[in-house]
Amino acid sequence: MSSSLPHSITSSPPRFAILVAGGSGTRMGAGQPKQFLLLRGEPVLLHTLRRFADPALQLAEIVLVLPADQLETWQYLCRAYAIDIPHTLVTGGATRWASVKAGLQALQPHPQGLVAVHDGVRPLVSPAVIERTYAAAATHAAAAAAVLPKDSVRTLSQHGSSSLNRQRLRLMQTPQTFEIDLLRRAYTMPELPTFTDDATVVDDLCRVQLVEGDYRNLKITTPEDLLLAEALLVNG
């Protein structure tokens, strides 16, 4: 399934998104990948896709990256739920890094633009957060959503633990948005164990500008996360 979203012709760089969904759902204990679990009667991944398809964001193309053994399930869900949002379906790799690289390969025909990378299981991301990352990336080349920790944080060492100033810490979210050429250059480097998100992949090439995220932009990992997401959707 491949198509482009409508977008206006302006002087602004074209916008793209790579939605990465490679979870197995082990921690959910649900027997199926968490991106396919139902959230208010629809697959989690559909909610996420719909957020990026918001016409106000003016995306030129959305790339959805799934493991090879999940492609058929998603195609079935597209038929079952009449999902007609244009997107390009891509087979992912063994790691998140490899999957993002596969998503970038699908955008090879586009020499320039801004690309947001987002977790497929963050279905409550707001258009405002998405827009902030695109706007910041247009100015700074690299931007990511993040929030201040709510709890006290301590660091561990062989001598015990010590407190950290949480005002100087941030919890990283997605989307993380970049000039597409910058992200391509970053992904030509070998994969390292220290790559926990796209910001860490880009760090050696460019300083990542942090923008205000949203505590509601949760990543669905456990059954409790799904319950909270249901409640947040009900209450708007």
Side-chain angles (χ1 to χ4, degrees), residues 152-171:
S152 295
V153 183
R154 297 182 73 84
T155 182
L156 299 178
S157 71
Q158 59 182 354
H159 304 295
S161 69
S162 58
S163 63
L164 295 174
N165 181 358
R166 64 182 175 186
Q167 295 297 323
R168 300 183 63 183
L169 300 174
R170 293 296 183 270
L171 303 178

Side-chain angles (χ1 to χ4, degrees), residues 5-8 13-17 48-60 62 125-134 175:
L5 295 169
H7 65 287
S8 60
R15 294 176 169 187
F16 310 99
T48 308
L49 182 63
R50 190 178 287 136
R51 297 286 173 135
F52 279 83
D54 186 330
L57 294 171
Q58 297 188 325
L59 265 67
I62 297 173
V125 62
S126 69
V129 170
I130 299 172
E131 179 61 38
R132 280 197 289 270
T133 67
Y134 278 116

